[in-house]
């Protein structure tokens, strides 16, 4: 009886080993579809928002470290339905506020105008706008500070802080 179950397991493993390479080489990002649930224009707008929060200076900004993708992944995978709805509504609201204030979309505004638009939303009476700005700002800071670039180059992260030196000559 155990031989039969062992043979079944061996056949299943061998079949999986044969099928896995064929499946793994056949996927493309297009076949996976949208991971975030956002359209490309919404993703680009979110990238501009995180770049406004942490702009590029002598160090890379949030957009170049792809913090907006981190924020999208966190919201879609870890946050609830209300946060996902708040993200989509907040993106529309940011663009509307920029158009009302400066007669152009948020992406076409300069850095001062973008910062002013986000500050007005943070200070507004609309609780949805406040929640959106707070959520995106905290995810931007969290994603930026936990990025590999910041950890390795700015914070001096060392994966194995204590090294073992086994062959050390002893003093007599």
């Amino acid at each position: 009886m155990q031989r039969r179950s062992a043979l079944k397991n061996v056949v299943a493993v061998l079949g999986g080993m044969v099928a896995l390479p064929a499946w793994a080489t056949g996927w493309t990002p297009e076949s996976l579809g949208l991971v975030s649930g956002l359209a490309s224009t919404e993703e680009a707008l979110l990238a501009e928002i995180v770049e406004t929060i942490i702009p590029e200076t002598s160090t890379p900004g949030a957009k170049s470290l792809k913090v907006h993708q981190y924020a999208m992944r966190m919201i879609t995978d870890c946050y609830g339905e209300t946060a996902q709805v708040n993200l989509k509504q907040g993106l529309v609201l940011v663009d509307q506020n920029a158009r009302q204030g400066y007669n152009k979309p948020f992406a076409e505004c300069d850095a001062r105008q973008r910062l002013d638009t986000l500050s007005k939303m943070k200070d507004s009476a609309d609780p949805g706008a406040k929640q959106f700005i707070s959520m995106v700002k905290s995810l931007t800071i969290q994603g930026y500070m936990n990025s590999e670039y910041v950890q390795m180059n700015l914070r001096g992260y060392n994966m194995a802080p204590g090294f073992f030196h086994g062959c050390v000559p002893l003093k007599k």
Side-chain angles (χ1 to χ4, degrees):
M1 189 80 135
Q2 291 178 354
R3 271 189 268 165
R4 287 183 183 170
S5 63
L7 283 172
K8 287 180 188 177
N9 291 340
V10 168
V11 169
V13 168
L14 288 174
M17 290 174 65
V18 169
L20 185 63
W23 172 81
T25 58
W27 72 271
T28 62
E30 292 79 24
S31 68
L32 292 177
L34 286 176
V35 177
S36 67
L38 293 178
S40 60
T41 55
E42 292 172 326
E43 183 178 348
L45 179 59
L46 184 60
E48 295 302 326
I49 292 170
V50 300
E51 183 68 20
T52 302
I53 295 171
I54 301 179
E56 189 159 339
T57 56
S58 60
T59 60
K63 182 179 177 182
S64 60
L65 292 180
K66 302 201 185 308
V67 173
H68 63 286
Q69 292 178 350
Y70 169 82
M72 288 186 316
R73 174 64 68 183
M74 288 295 290
I75 291 170
T76 57
D77 290 355
C78 302
Y79 286 37
E81 186 73 28
T82 56
Q84 295 170 12
V85 170
N86 189 17
L87 174 67
K88 289 190 177 212
Q89 291 173 348
L91 291 172
V92 171
L93 195 58
V94 166
D95 213 32
Q96 285 176 351
N97 286 345
R99 287 179 193 274
Q100 287 175 355
Y102 302 105
N103 295 324
K104 53 186 169 182
F106 185 81
E108 294 177 10
C109 294
D110 64 13
R112 185 189 58 75
Q113 293 170 339
R114 289 179 180 186
L115 195 57
D116 186 48
T117 301
L118 295 180
S119 297
K120 285 179 183 176
M121 285 182 65
K122 185 185 94 174
D123 297 334
S124 73
D126 182 16
K130 285 184 178 184
Q131 287 177 342
F132 170 76
I133 295 297
S134 174
M135 178 177 63
V136 170
K137 184 177 179 182
S138 66
L139 284 173
T140 300
I141 293 169
Q142 181 182 14
Y144 187 80
M145 293 305 292
N146 291 327
S147 69
E148 181 181 1
Y149 177 83
V150 171
Q151 289 291 321
M152 300 300 282
N153 298 323
L154 301 179
R155 300 195 71 192
Y157 176 76
N158 191 359
M159 187 165 169
F163 295 102
F164 176 72
H165 302 287
C167 296
V168 178
L170 297 175
K171 295 181 182 177
K172 291 187 180 185

